[in-house]
């Protein structure tokens, strides 16, 4: 049973560019979550999916952010027109989909916007 | 609104000693879960232990135990027999029956020989 994987692990981009991150959850996990973590803070929730349905989005998720999970397996998080304030660690987690379930996290993608 | 508070920004503990990390929470939901995660410098969040709001007994997982005091709304993590590899950031988190987790600010633990 492999864990959650994320790609890329690191991304450096220039302000104004678009970036896309991928998350592969643990197989057969129905729920997939995206979080953002800035230096010295705990992770903050961005959005989550139950299978392919996006069920909740945080107010942190501006219109420059979009997430998809088209076939209920892997997910992508795209940031358009990146800003320096988008620099953070983007964490993906998955859970089986049962009540009060544990979320298992991937290694994260560190984004630096210059 | 839910809120998680970790008041200890950092702690030093000697190898083989026990350490208690504080976590208090605030919620009006009757059903919720409390989680502890470890984040080494590599960045990955590692699940340690879970406590459900209706669980009567405190959760234990190996050297980790959760001191759950529901009336005081606290969920402290106890690490027994600390090891050098325990040096990391530790986060307390709370979630409802499903969905997002809300995290505290974390406590940095440094284990010294």
């Amino acid at each position: 049973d492999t864990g959650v994987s994320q790609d890329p692990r690191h991304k450096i981009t220039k302000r104004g560019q678009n970036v896309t991150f991928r998350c592969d959850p643990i197989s057969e996990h129905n729920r997939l979550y995206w979080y953002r973590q800035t230096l010295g803070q705990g992770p903050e929730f961005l959005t989550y999916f139950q299978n392919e349905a996006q069920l909740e989005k945080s107010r942190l998720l501006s219109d420059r952010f979009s997430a998809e999970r088209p076939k209920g397996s892997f997910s992508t998080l795209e940031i358009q027109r990146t800003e320096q304030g988008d620099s953070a660690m983007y964490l993906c987690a998955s859970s089986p989909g049962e009540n009060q379930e544990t979320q298992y996290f991937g290694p994260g993608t560190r984004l630096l916007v210059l | 609104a839910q809120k998680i508070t970790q008041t200890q920004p950092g702690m030093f503990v000697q190898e083989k000693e026990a350490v208690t990390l504080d976590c208090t929470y605030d919620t009006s939901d009757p059903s919720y879960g409390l989680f502890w995660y470890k984040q080494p410098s590599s960045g990955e969040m590692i699940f340690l232990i879970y406590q459900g709001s209706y669980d009567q007994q405190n959760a234990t997982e190996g050297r980790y135990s959760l001191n759950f005091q529901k009336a005081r709304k606290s969920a402290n993590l106890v690490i027994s027999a600390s090891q050098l590899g325990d040096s990391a950031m530790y986060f307390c988190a709370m979630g409802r029956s499903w969905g997002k987790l809300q995290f505290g600010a974390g406590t940095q633990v440094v284990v010294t020989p």
Side-chain angles (χ1 to χ4, degrees), chain A residues 30-33 48-55 69 72 96-97 101, chain B residues 98:
Chain A
N30 294 329
R31 294 197 181 127
L32 186 148
Y33 305 79
Y48 97 95
F49 294 83
Q50 168 85 26
N51 299 313
E52 66 275 9
Q54 189 173 19
L55 296 187
R69 195 183 182 197
E101 74 283 10
Chain B
W98 68 86

Side-chain angles (χ1 to χ4, degrees), chain A residues 38-94:
Chain A
T38 52
L39 205 60
Q41 302 294 321
E44 295 175 293
F45 169 78
L46 292 178
T47 188
Y48 97 95
F49 294 83
Q50 168 85 26
N51 299 313
E52 66 275 9
Q54 189 173 19
L55 296 187
E56 188 174 353
K57 294 197 302 185
S58 163
R59 285 170 293 177
L60 292 175
L61 214 64
S62 74
D63 56 5
R64 296 185 298 106
F65 288 71
S66 62
E68 294 182 342
R69 195 183 182 197
K71 296 182 180 178
S73 56
F74 73 92
S75 175
T76 58
L77 177 69
E78 182 183 16
I79 310 174
Q80 295 183 325
R81 305 180 304 280
T82 52
E83 302 172 356
Q84 288 183 327
D86 296 331
S87 296
M89 172 81 98
Y90 290 84
L91 293 162
C92 176
S94 70

